[in-house]
Amino acid sequence: MPFTHPELPRFANAAEHKVWQELIGQLQDGDFVTAEQRVTDHLKDHEADFVVAIEGGGIMCLEVKGGEVWHDGLTWRQNRGGEYVEIEPVRQARETCYALREFVESDPRWTQGRIRWDHMVVLPNTKLPSDFALPDCPRWKVVDRTQLPHLVGLMRNVLVRQELDRPFLSDVGVEQLQAALAGRGLPQRDVVARALENEDSADLMTEQQAVILNAITLLNRVEVRGGAGSGKTFLAIEQARRLTKGGQRVALICYSHGLASYLERITASWSYKQRPAYVGEFHALGVQWGAPHGPDESLRTTETAEFWERDLPRQMADLAAALPANKRFDAVVIDEAQDFADQWWEPILASLKDSETGGIFLFSDEGQRVFDRQGAPPVPLVPLILDHNMRNTRQIARAFDPLVGQRMRLLGGDGPAVRFVPCPPSEAMDQADDQIEILMDEGWRPEDLALLTTGSRHPEQVARQEEGNQAYWASFWDTDQVFYGHVLGFKGLERRAVVLALNEKHSRDRSRERLYVGLSRARDQLVVCGDPELVRDVGGGELASRLGLSLV
């Protein structure tokens, strides 16, 4: 049997089906035939009814005309349901042959050079006179109904008798022809394309959700609460932009370095009429007012904690109280407000032009309270609840849903299942490194990937942080690098694909919140490496079940 494509073609008429059956019956092993082959050049679109590759011969393009066909001395004609129409089978076959030959020979995989190509016309229902001949179509260029049983032999004879000094088609040539006709440079299934489609849909839904901000236009003190993926950060940024555009002096504040870097990057592209007066970390605001930079936070001693949590906020409160009117704010917008301690609210309120009526807009998720702080603003706020997850795929959102603490409608796109790699905590980081390699083999780019840890930091993160926080967070935007981080510093941020290393040796205070943050940072692909028992202990049986750990 010859190679065929497609295996079971659908034909436009019975004549083409008859010719197909003859070809299949007469061609030899190693030959190749394809039906309804289209090719386009700069002149027009062409279509060969059949392209036949005969090993030891060459490549033949066939034009089939069924039914009643004749030549009136001027042109070919065909009876189509009682209507007599002009046809040009010879020109069709010739032009298609030349266009297809040019396409095949331009394929870099084609190494055969100029071999033997030709074209013929097949009339499966018509009998031609024995002395038939046209200037552009000698008798041997046409196969009529009496010759169908010898169709392949006639084609081979035409190809072999070419007097041009061109090689015959080899078995390698048959293979290369098949490859060329299948196309080249074809787009493959692309995980990034799927992620971008989900991202576009999520961005649209998030923008539509901004209608919530219209509803609070007349409210000056609001807390917007929502689970991971509900669009809180977008709404915080948009609220700051709207207030600034409306003529107010606004501060857009958060706690963590990473989120501050993100907020600064986004707002830096805005016009000065929309850019808030201050964008960044709470503690950096104090430095701007004149407070000391303070000790290295990473040392995590009792003294450093006392400075950052209590001493600096007290100094900031004094500095805020002494601010001139033109340095105060009409409104403050705080993202990830659950990170703020009680002592931090005094300088926030003192920085307002009017501490009684100045705008306070908080965006929070109690489930992500990963720091040992239980702060709450000392002023009444109107609560608004976001109950839609739009940023994570449904597979990811469903996995961490038991940790959210409120009912969420899962509106994200479809994606791959969450993958869990069972391993002890001591091996979680090595397994995570392996999973990064696997994701890149699957088509993810470095810029799409983040490796996050729940325990000790990854050595790559440690190395990058030695260059300073500014350089470290600049790597978040580097399209040539995978980002390495810790769940504590990645709150409010996300990546298309995340590998989460559960490398805590045992559960501790806030382990549940850390797990929630880590699981919710991936938009489209999530891989978790860790101990199933730790997941059950920290997150509960329902979470373990959602992660596919029931039998692990």
Side-chain angles (χ1 to χ4, degrees):
M1 288 288 291
F3 301 112
T4 63
H5 180 80
E7 186 174 349
L8 295 172
R10 299 179 64 180
F11 296 107
N13 52 64
E16 291 179 6
H17 184 255
K18 180 187 293 187
V19 173
W20 172 264
Q21 290 180 315
E22 292 290 349
L23 290 170
I24 297 303
Q26 297 176 38
L27 289 168
Q28 302 298 309
D29 293 347
D31 294 339
F32 168 67
V33 57
T34 182
E36 312 292 346
Q37 179 63 56
R38 295 183 178 181
V39 61
T40 299
D41 60 15
H42 290 290
L43 177 64
K44 65 176 184 178
D45 298 328
H46 308 271
E47 182 176 315
D49 291 326
F50 298 100
V51 177
V52 185
I54 302 176
E55 186 180 347
I59 300 172
M60 182 69 71
C61 295
L62 299 181
E63 179 64 28
V64 178
K65 296 299 182 185
E68 184 183 4
V69 178
W70 70 99
H71 199 284
D72 64 5
L74 296 175
T75 185
W76 288 94
R77 291 186 174 275
Q78 183 181 37
N79 183 350
R80 293 182 183 170
E83 182 180 357
Y84 305 140
V85 297
E86 292 184 6
I87 58 173
E88 297 184 86
V90 179
R91 183 179 64 81
Q92 285 179 263
R94 180 178 59 248
E95 291 181 353
T96 301
C97 180
Y98 293 158
L100 190 63
R101 183 179 67 184
E102 181 179 358
F103 175 79
V104 170
E105 290 180 349
S106 67
D107 193 309
R109 296 167 295 181
W110 180 260
T111 62
Q112 307 303 301
R114 178 62 57 85
I115 62 165
R116 298 178 181 227
W117 287 74
D118 220 319
H119 60 278
M120 294 179 71
V121 176
V122 181
L123 308 176
N125 302 118
T126 300
K127 180 180 178 181
L128 293 178
S130 59
D131 59 348
F132 166 83
L134 286 169
D136 66 343
C137 185
R139 178 67 183 85
W140 46 268
K141 279 275 193 177
V142 188
V143 176
D144 69 7
R145 69 174 183 246
T146 67
Q147 298 171 301
L148 279 181
H150 313 290
L151 174 58
V152 171
L154 292 170
M155 289 191 297
R156 178 183 288 275
N157 188 54
V158 170
L159 292 165
V160 170
R161 291 187 61 184
Q162 282 188 2
E163 295 183 2
L164 295 171
D165 186 18
R166 293 173 181 167
F168 298 108
L169 181 65
S170 67
D171 57 343
V172 174
V174 175
E175 293 176 1
Q176 292 181 356
L177 174 67
Q178 291 177 265
L181 295 184
R184 59 184 181 268
L186 304 179
Q188 302 299 304
R189 289 197 63 188
D190 185 357
V191 292
V192 176
R194 183 195 63 224
L196 290 174
E197 180 183 16
N198 286 340
E199 195 170 303
D200 290 342
S201 298
D203 288 345
L204 178 60
M205 287 189 290
T206 303
E207 290 175 12
Q208 292 170 344
Q209 189 168 253
V211 69
I212 291 172
L213 302 180
N214 296 337
I216 63 172
T217 301
L218 300 180
L219 300 176
N220 224 26
R221 299 198 166 181
V222 177
E223 180 178 12
V224 179
R225 304 171 187 166
S230 58
K232 298 184 302 299
T233 295
F234 170 85
L235 292 177
I237 294 173
E238 177 62 12
Q239 179 68 348
R241 186 191 70 82
R242 291 187 180 195
L243 293 172
T244 303
K245 186 178 180 182
Q248 298 191 43
R249 192 168 192 274
V250 178
L252 176 57
I253 306 171
C254 65
Y255 164 67
S256 66
H257 297 303
L259 182 55
S261 170
Y262 175 79
L263 299 178
E264 291 165 2
R265 180 106 175 191
I266 296 297
T267 57
S269 63
W270 295 353
S271 70
Y272 75 95
K273 291 183 179 180
Q274 297 180 335
R275 196 180 308 138
Y278 176 80
V279 179
E281 299 169 57
F282 167 74
H283 293 124
L285 180 59
V287 173
Q288 189 179 93
W289 292 339
H293 285 277
D296 186 349
E297 289 181 85
S298 64
L299 297 177
R300 298 182 183 178
T301 65
T302 303
E303 291 76 13
T304 59
E306 183 70 20
F307 175 82
W308 291 110
E309 299 293 333
R310 295 176 178 80
D311 294 345
L312 179 59
R314 281 196 292 267
Q315 295 180 43
M316 287 179 64
D318 293 338
L319 292 167
L323 287 172
N326 65 342
K327 295 296 183 180
R328 295 177 181 272
F329 302 111
D330 296 294
V332 293
V333 178
I334 302 178
D335 193 21
E336 301 290 346
Q338 75 279 351
D339 292 344
F340 280 50
D342 280 331
Q343 295 87 345
W344 299 8
W345 293 107
E346 184 178 353
I348 293 292
L349 294 173
S351 71
L352 292 171
K353 292 179 180 179
D354 188 330
S355 61
E356 297 296 326
T357 62
I360 300 176
F361 300 91
L362 310 186
F363 296 81
S364 64
D365 178 1
E366 286 298 310
Q368 296 189 59
R369 195 181 282 273
V370 297
F371 302 105
D372 190 18
R373 306 187 189 109
Q374 297 297 327
V379 295
L381 301 171
V382 176
L384 289 179
I385 306 300
L386 303 178
D387 62 354
H388 296 61
N389 181 303
M390 300 168 292
R391 312 302 288 182
N392 308 97
T393 64
R394 284 191 286 271
Q395 287 80 359
I396 295 174
R398 185 177 182 278
F400 68 73
D401 189 58
L403 303 177
V404 176
Q406 68 180 73
R407 292 181 62 85
M408 298 288 288
R409 295 179 60 193
L410 311 184
L411 303 181
D414 278 318
V418 176
R419 297 205 293 256
F420 194 98
V421 181
C423 62
S426 59
E427 298 178 12
M429 208 179 298
D430 290 338
Q431 290 287 349
D433 285 331
D434 293 342
Q435 291 301 313
I436 287 289
E437 294 298 323
I438 291 172
L439 289 175
M440 293 185 70
D441 289 342
E442 291 175 355
W444 292 103
R445 305 165 300 181
E447 66 188 87
D448 302 315
L449 301 172
L451 189 157
L452 304 180
T453 59
T454 59
S456 59
R457 294 174 295 166
H458 192 282
E460 180 64 24
Q461 179 185 356
V462 173
R464 293 185 192 180
Q465 287 184 317
E466 289 176 353
E467 300 178 16
N469 268 323
Q470 186 172 359
Y472 169 65
W473 284 107
S475 72
F476 178 80
W477 305 96
D478 190 335
T479 59
D480 295 326
Q481 296 190 84
V482 175
F483 184 78
Y484 293 82
H486 192 280
V487 293
L488 294 181
F490 210 73
K491 277 183 353 75
L493 302 176
E494 57 192 29
R495 265 297 198 260
R496 295 189 180 108
V498 168
V499 178
L500 178 63
L502 305 180
N503 60 333
E504 291 181 294
K505 294 182 179 179
H506 49 76
S507 62
R508 64 174 82 176
D509 289 343
R510 305 293 170 185
S511 286
R512 181 181 177 89
E513 288 81 358
R514 291 188 186 203
L515 184 58
Y516 172 34
V517 171
L519 294 174
S520 59
R521 296 307 93 196
R523 296 180 68 153
D524 289 89
Q525 174 76 72
L526 174 61
V527 183
V528 184
C529 304
D531 183 359
E533 284 304 316
L534 179 66
V535 173
R536 292 188 185 94
D537 181 41
V538 172
E542 180 63 20
L543 176 66
S545 177
R546 299 283 181 94
L547 291 173
L549 304 181
S550 301
L551 301 178
V552 178

